[in-house]
Amino acid sequence: SIVMDEVVVGGFVLNPFVVIAAALALVAIIAIVALFILKGSGKPPSKKKSKKSVLLIGTREGGKTALFAALKDIDVQKTQTSLIPNEADLNVHGDKKIGLVDIPGHDRLRNGFLSEHSGGAIGIVFVLDSVAFIRNPRPVAECFYDILCKQNLSACPVVVLSNKHDIPTAPKKIERVQRKLESEFTTIRETRTGAIAGTDEAYNEADTFLGDEDADEFEFSQLDRNITFIRGSLKAEKDETKAKVLEWISDTVVV
């Protein structure tokens, strides 16, 4: 057994176990008070606000990272292209700065990083490879459809940058890209709403159906949001394409 000497304080004999218990209680009280002070008088720490940013989004190999590099005047080979976003500041309206975020194009990574950065999103640049899109439009259309369905991005103006128009097989006019997307959207919304209607599961129609329910075919004019289309080439017409995007950001994005 453990034997402890008596403690004498001011002529009083105290039980040593009581002294130890009191000391531990005092330490605990001090620790709790310090914790409350650090947290701001007991209030939970506020979440860090997401930086106001323009998001560069699209499928892989569309040209997002090339656009990011062009906007920042850096070597495209020095940017991350797959696993994590590329992030930087971008000067707009003279001395004002906003964030520029290149979201990875891989399907499994995109949604996670979009959730992380959507809180501060003030604009979206959707980048696509015009040649690959005309040849195989569905993956690009589904990606863009999903972006437009996201409620946490619904207030963001959008510009579609149709890239690689320097290639001979690219569509000559941007209107062809727009019409192709509208055609694919018509098929996508019919397929998805039909699949859900065939089950007993409840669903949020706003997350599934884009456009006018009474219209047989989808058109971007049915959406109550700002969507712009521009064509360019981040290889043969880099400066001109960069200027178009910067002009859109300056004229459209609210800082």
Side-chain angles (χ1 to χ4, degrees), residues 2-3 13 39 52 54 74 77 86 100 107 150 173 176 185 200 218 251:
I2 298 175
V3 178
V13 178
K39 287 187 175 183
K52 291 183 177 180
V54 170
I74 58 177
Q77 295 182 356
N86 294 303
L100 182 68
D107 293 343
K150 292 185 179 298
K173 296 182 178 181
R176 184 181 176 193
F185 274 28
D200 294 330
F218 172 86
D251 293 345

Side-chain angles (χ1 to χ4, degrees), residues 21-170:
L24 291 176
L26 181 60
V27 170
I29 293 173
I30 292 173
I32 293 173
V33 171
L35 182 62
F36 271 78
I37 293 174
L38 290 174
K39 287 187 175 183
S41 301
K43 294 180 181 179
S46 58
K47 292 183 179 180
K48 183 179 178 181
K49 291 184 178 180
S50 299
K51 186 173 185 177
K52 291 183 177 180
S53 302
V54 170
L55 309 184
L56 310 183
I57 308 175
T59 56
R60 299 169 63 185
E61 308 299 328
K64 294 182 293 79
T65 303
L67 175 60
F68 178 90
L71 292 173
K72 292 302 300 176
D73 293 317
I74 58 177
D75 185 352
V76 67
Q77 295 182 356
K78 292 181 181 179
T79 60
Q80 297 286 342
T81 59
S82 57
L83 299 180
I84 62 175
N86 294 303
E87 301 183 50
D89 288 334
L90 185 68
N91 290 325
V92 293
H93 302 302
D95 59 347
K96 291 185 178 180
K97 287 186 177 181
I98 61 173
L100 182 68
V101 184
D102 170 20
I103 301 293
H106 195 287
D107 293 343
R108 294 183 179 179
L109 299 175
R110 185 189 311 116
N111 286 333
F113 287 119
L114 274 177
S115 297
E116 179 181 336
H117 292 279
S118 61
I122 55 175
I124 295 171
V125 182
F126 187 84
V127 187
L128 61 84
D129 177 339
S130 60
V131 176
F133 171 68
I134 293 299
R135 184 173 59 248
N136 182 25
R138 184 55 56 87
V140 174
E142 286 187 334
C143 174
F144 192 31
Y145 192 99
D146 290 340
I147 296 301
L148 296 181
C149 281
K150 292 185 179 298
Q151 296 299 309
N152 54 2
L153 296 174
S154 61
C156 292
V158 179
V159 61
V160 177
L161 171 59
S162 184
N163 187 27
K164 303 185 182 181
H165 277 266
D166 58 305
I167 299 176
T169 54

